[in-house]
Amino acid sequence: MDSNAFVYTTYIRTTPDELWAALTEPELTRRYWGVAFETDWAAGSAMVWDENGRRTSDPEQVVLDAEPGRRLAYTWHTFTPAWAEAVRIDPEIYARLAGERRSKVTFGIEPAGDMVKLTVVHDDLEPDGTIRGLVGEGWPALISSLKSLLETGEELPEVPR
């Protein structure tokens, strides 16, 4: 792991299988993330990100590792003009994002008694890059909503921007 990685660990009262489902099943990822992934979750398989009908695909968007209930890793999505417009990213920030190398995210899933330890590592980030700053704000809110969904059945409202 490089020193520019973003690492976030939390404990969720759930099972490894339920957490895996929440990370991979479209009806669940849409609830807490607003994204559904189209893939077969096999290492090397392409991934399409579907955000409310806006589809992002790229040959470099792929599953890197998939061990159900244990580990999931994939490359991060491509930054497109349509994505930037939809999420209201300033054109200058979009230009910086589009110029950075593709990063990846890994979810480590470990049993911890009647809970699961989830470790999210977002790495291959540019030193002092724009993506590093955005994921540093985004992952805590996203994982909090995932945790709430699994523990209470209700995701958190989207954090205002």
Side-chain angles (χ1 to χ4, degrees):
M1 176 172 34
D2 67 61
S3 63
N4 292 303
F6 174 82
V7 180
Y8 188 86
T9 300
T10 193
Y11 291 82
I12 304 173
R13 190 175 306 276
T14 192
T15 67
D17 290 340
E18 288 171 342
L19 179 53
W20 177 264
L23 293 171
T24 60
E25 292 181 10
E27 61 276 5
L28 294 173
T29 59
R30 243 186 245 290
R31 286 189 62 189
Y32 68 89
W33 196 340
V35 175
F37 301 105
E38 296 174 17
T39 184
D40 63 8
W41 297 114
S45 291
M47 292 180 69
V48 175
W49 291 52
D50 182 334
E51 298 176 79
N52 300 317
R54 187 184 64 258
R55 296 166 47 85
T56 304
S57 64
D58 186 287
E60 293 182 31
Q61 281 176 201
V62 296
V63 177
L64 299 171
D65 192 10
E67 298 176 52
R70 296 194 59 224
R71 179 179 159 87
L72 177 64
Y74 47 83
T75 58
W76 202 239
H77 68 83
T78 302
F79 296 105
T80 65
W83 171 85
E85 183 178 326
V87 297
R88 297 184 292 280
I89 294 287
D90 178 88
E92 184 179 311
I93 294 172
Y94 164 69
R96 289 196 315 257
L97 288 169
E100 292 184 26
R101 67 178 172 235
R102 186 175 304 273
S103 58
K104 67 179 181 185
V105 64
T106 302
F107 302 89
I109 302 168
E110 300 174 52
D114 65 344
M115 298 179 290
V116 175
K117 177 182 177 183
L118 171 63
T119 303
V120 179
V121 178
H122 197 131
D123 60 357
D124 289 345
L125 298 164
E126 295 281 346
D128 300 317
T130 302
I131 297 170
R132 173 71 169 86
L134 292 175
V135 300
E137 292 180 17
W139 278 121
L142 184 68
I143 298 305
S144 293
S145 191
L146 167 64
K147 177 178 171 65
S148 181
L149 176 64
L150 288 169
E151 292 181 346
T152 72
E154 294 295 325
E155 67 278 8
L156 298 175
E158 186 174 339
V159 175
R161 295 181 194 201

